[in-house]
Each structure stands twice: as structure tokens, then as C-alpha cells.
Amino acid sequence: MNDAPLITDHDAIVVGAGFAGLYALHKLRDVLGLNVRVFEAGDGVGGMWFWNRYPGARCDIESLHYSYSFSDKLQDEWNWSEKYAGQPEILAYLEHVADRFDLRPNIVFGRRVTSAVRDEEDLVWRVGIDDFEGEVYLTGKWSHDGVVFHGKKVGVIGTGSRGIQAITEIAKKAGYLTVFQRTPNYATRLGNAPSNPDRVAPINLDTRRFVKSLKTPVGALSEMCCFGAGSVIGRAPPGLR
């Protein structure tokens, strides 16, 4: 936990310091001039990319598009090493953003918001694993020290994007791997490769032209919410009401 003062009255509270949370903080504080506090359960920025450290974790859209577009200078100074960046590089990018825009002073780490949710009785998932005596790991809360799979019998539940990424890596090490799948998903070959500067430059130019076309408050709001992985609590600023 950091030492950011816990002032009780804020214009906005942001829950989570991932992609959406960091941008919300920048937009609300630096652009709209509001008093903002971010609460993050983890010990650092990154959101899902702080927690998701399972084998094979990477973005499943191109790195160029899995990044911020609000700053041309930020785009120019950051060079992705791969077409589809892995978790360590994405986390490094978000840490760079937090430092570059001095966002950390407004973030309280090690704090989980528990009371700003709607209570809907019995709308919960109940998973029967009480009798299982082995190790259980969640991709969303992966051990930062890594997991040893060599020679073990491993079961993976689900074949969404995380499941597919983890399965391909765990299968290389596990003694025996079983996948439990309810609904098959369609997935294409990733085709990952080192980033090509000659290809990146025109894509960045097109992205800037598109962002500059977002002139209305609605367009600005859609840019802020494009990642969808964060919550903002507070009074709506002028122009966005």
C-alpha cells in the first residue's frame, strides 16, 4: 500500500488501475481538472495485466491497437517488440504510462473497493471444488512466482482466450493435460512476429487521424470507455452530463 492521503471527498473515484482506470485518471484529473482518487487492489498498476501472469498470456489484438491513442508523443516513444505483445511487455507499457503522466500520486494501492456494488441476492456462481485436494490456479490471479507443471496431471477448465493461451504453453510441460470444454470457440492462428517499424508508421498515422475526428463529448467519452475494464464513481463533469 502506498502513502497517498485518504481524503474522503472526491469529484470522482476510479476503481482499478488498469488500461481504463489509468486513462480515466488522466482524463478526469489532467483534462477536466477534477479531484480524483484511484483504488487498486494490487501492489502496482496494470489491472488484469498485473494479475494475469499465466503461461502464454498476451493480447489477442495487435499491440499497436492495444495501446493508448490520446498522446502522439506516447505513441512515438514506445516501440512494441512483437505484433501481439506478451504480458510482461504490456505491464511494462502501463508502468511507463503511469510514470510518464505522474499518475501514481493519485492511486492508493492495496485497497479493494467492496461497498460500491449492487447487491443482488443469490446471483452468484457456485463451483464445486471443495473435495479437490490438488493445486488450484486462476488465470486472473496467477502466482507471481510462477507455477511448476513438469510431469504433473493438469486440468484446464474453459477454452476462451485465456484458456487457449494457457493450454498451448502448459501442454509443453505437463505430464498429462485434460481440457474441460463446454462450448467450443473459434480461434485463428495467431501469426505473431517481431514488430516491423515500416508497417507501424502508417498505422500510427491513420490512428491519429481517427482520434482527431472524435471532436464531440460523445466521441471523447467513447474513447475513454473503449477498454471497458474499470469503474468510475462520481459526479459527471460539465460537457459529459
Side-chain angles (χ1 to χ4, degrees), residues 38-65:
V38 179
F39 292 106
E40 166 57 50
D43 296 327
V45 301
M48 63 174 288
W49 297 108
F50 176 85
W51 299 107
N52 288 2
R53 304 188 185 216
Y54 59 89
R58 64 176 64 249
C59 58
D60 50 11
I61 64 173
E62 290 195 36
S63 310
L64 287 173
H65 304 302

Side-chain angles (χ1 to χ4, degrees), residues 23 27 31-32 209-225 237-241:
Y23 181 72
K27 186 76 172 182
V31 179
L32 299 176
R209 289 171 178 166
F210 171 73
V211 171
K212 289 177 181 178
S213 71
L214 300 176
K215 301 296 185 181
T216 66
V218 174
L221 182 61
S222 68
E223 183 188 358
M224 180 169 126
C225 299
L240 293 180
R241 293 192 177 110

Side-chain angles (χ1 to χ4, degrees), residues 158-225:
T159 53
S161 59
R162 297 183 187 183
I164 293 172
Q165 291 171 345
I167 289 166
T168 56
E169 295 299 318
I170 294 174
K172 300 174 183 177
K173 302 175 182 178
Y176 191 87
L177 174 64
T178 301
V179 177
F180 298 90
Q181 175 179 261
R182 183 186 64 180
T183 305
N185 280 317
Y186 177 77
T188 62
R189 188 178 180 86
L190 186 62
N192 196 20
S195 182
N196 184 343
D198 293 335
R199 180 175 176 273
V200 168
I203 293 176
N204 278 341
L205 181 60
D206 287 342
T207 300
R208 292 176 187 179
R209 289 171 178 166
F210 171 73
V211 171
K212 289 177 181 178
S213 71
L214 300 176
K215 301 296 185 181
T216 66
V218 174
L221 182 61
S222 68
E223 183 188 358
M224 180 169 126
C225 299

